[in-house]
Amino acid sequence: IGKLNHVAIAVPDLDSAIKTYKTKLGASVSSIIEQKEHGVIVAFIVLSNTKIELITPFGNDSPLINFLQKNPNGGIHHICYEVEDIHESIKSLVKAGGRLAGNGKPKLGAHGKPVIFLHPTDFNGTLIELEEI
Ligand code: CO
């Protein structure tokens, strides 16, 4: 793995979370991106060394609905590491006994780059996203 690309925080109200980061922390926040195929709407807080991804559910079968039911005020949802070649990373992970979340096929993420999620049980309960950069 390479650099930390972002930390994602699930929020029940995206507009209110954006406002909080802007007014209370003076953060610079990207425009809102709808990712219908992932069932989420996101906005990025842009920091000099990384990003914070604020994510809120889109639609009734969003993977975030369960998470927000358990954590109604929101919370840290996943962290994303950069990798050079996502297919190589998947190969070596699986070879080492690691598991992928979902169908195991990379999807296009918020930046139009391929992403994959790893099974949280293998990583101390942390959902990990790999993004090819
Ligand atoms: Co992410």
Side-chain angles (χ1 to χ4, degrees), residues 37-119:
E37 71 282 11
H38 291 277
V40 296
I41 303 175
V42 311
F44 287 95
I45 298 159
V46 184
L47 307 175
S48 64
N49 61 344
T50 191
K51 296 180 283 277
I52 305 298
E53 182 185 53
L54 300 175
I55 47 177
T56 202
F58 176 88
N60 292 327
D61 51 359
S62 169
L64 282 182
I65 287 175
N66 260 345
F67 183 90
L68 284 175
Q69 266 163 6
K70 286 183 210 147
N71 308 277
N73 196 31
I76 294 179
H77 183 261
H78 66 266
I79 58 180
C80 176
Y81 300 118
E82 298 179 358
V83 296
E84 271 176 30
D85 181 330
I86 204 159
H87 292 100
E88 275 306 312
S89 298
I90 291 170
K91 237 196 271 175
S92 46
L93 176 92
V94 170
K95 206 173 151 196
R99 291 168 293 172
L100 301 161
N103 70 359
K105 299 261 181 290
K107 283 186 187 177
L108 283 189
H111 307 102
K113 309 239 173 87
V115 302
I116 189 98
F117 285 91
L118 312 186
H119 205 289

